[in-house]
Amino acid sequence: LWTHLPLDEVAAKVRRFFFYYSINRHKMTVITPSYHAENYSPDDNRFDLRQFLYDAGWSRQFASIAKRVKDFTEKERKSAL
């Protein structure tokens, strides 16, 4: 997919996405007062059971990404020799 970017830059983009997703996810569950002006609503979020509060650290996941990047870069270095 992103072959034009170095692997560590792709990993940084993924980490940045999940960080901002986790700190802003709760905003997607808020329904504005103007939305309730209608009597009928096709989607009222009653059945959306997705988690909306996340730990923004993602320590295990980010450590796993860092390990994979390290493994791939070492593998590339060895194959280049």
Side-chain angles (χ1 to χ4, degrees):
L1 181 60
W2 288 340
T3 56
H4 64 285
L5 294 174
L7 191 59
D8 56 340
E9 193 170 333
V10 173
K13 285 179 180 284
V14 170
R15 287 192 300 266
R16 192 176 318 119
F17 169 80
F18 279 104
F19 172 75
Y20 284 108
Y21 176 80
S22 63
I23 65 173
N24 292 314
R25 170 70 177 108
H26 72 283
K27 295 176 184 176
M28 291 185 263
T29 63
V30 176
I31 300 174
T32 60
S34 61
Y35 189 80
H36 295 291
E38 296 286 326
N39 288 334
Y40 171 74
S41 168
D43 182 24
D44 58 3
N45 286 343
R46 275 187 293 178
F47 305 110
D48 186 6
L49 301 177
R50 293 177 293 168
Q51 180 178 353
F52 65 93
L53 294 176
Y54 289 100
D55 176 22
W58 296 91
S59 55
R60 184 178 59 86
Q61 291 85 351
F62 289 171
S64 177
I65 290 171
K67 182 183 179 313
R68 297 293 294 270
V69 167
K70 181 182 164 201
D71 292 345
F72 282 129
T73 52
E74 286 177 1
K75 190 175 184 180
E76 281 181 355
R77 241 183 254 130
K78 286 180 183 178
S79 66
L81 294 177

